[in-house]
Amino acid sequence: MTHERRQDRSENPCLAGDLYLRAVAQRTGLEHLTLATHEGLLLAGAGDKDLGNRVAAVAPLYVEEPASLRAGLIDELTDGQPMQVWRVTVRDRPFYLIGFGTLTDMSEEVQDAFDRIFARPTPRAAN
């Protein structure tokens, strides 16, 4: 029996982000996905949350100042798997989507999904 991602939904943006990233990880074959803020905080993730927090913390340095990272740190975090980082924008702010495992291209659909998941709620009209 196949499990449809659309059955796993949430009104909570962070939980919705987790559910979405879990579906992306399964579809792409990535072992782990983390959506991190520019400041190094975990926003959403697929996989172990402790690992997600560590990955989120090093993502800004990995992208902006890779030479400042201790040699071998990324290999330790990813257990030797390749690490990829994609820049995404959420509410006009830069974020990093970090994945490790099989090298893959991330589709534009991912940015569109984050735009939907983390969009500002629309005000409800008064009756």
Side-chain angles (χ1 to χ4, degrees), residues 42-94:
L42 174 69
L43 184 62
D48 180 83
K49 289 294 180 197
D50 289 335
L51 178 59
N53 281 316
R54 291 191 300 272
V55 170
V58 301
L61 289 173
Y62 180 78
V63 173
E64 307 296 334
E65 301 175 46
S68 68
L69 293 175
R70 178 179 54 82
L73 177 65
I74 300 303
D75 282 341
E76 289 173 21
L77 280 175
T78 66
D79 205 20
Q81 298 180 72
M83 185 163 112
Q84 304 166 82
V85 179
W86 300 271
R87 291 176 191 255
V88 295
T89 303
V90 176
R91 293 187 182 185
D92 299 321
R93 293 188 55 216

Side-chain angles (χ1 to χ4, degrees), residues 5-19 117:
R5 178 190 71 81
R6 289 282 192 198
Q7 292 174 348
D8 288 337
R9 300 189 75 115
S10 176
E11 295 298 316
N12 175 311
C14 290
L15 179 55
D18 289 347
L19 294 171
I117 291 169

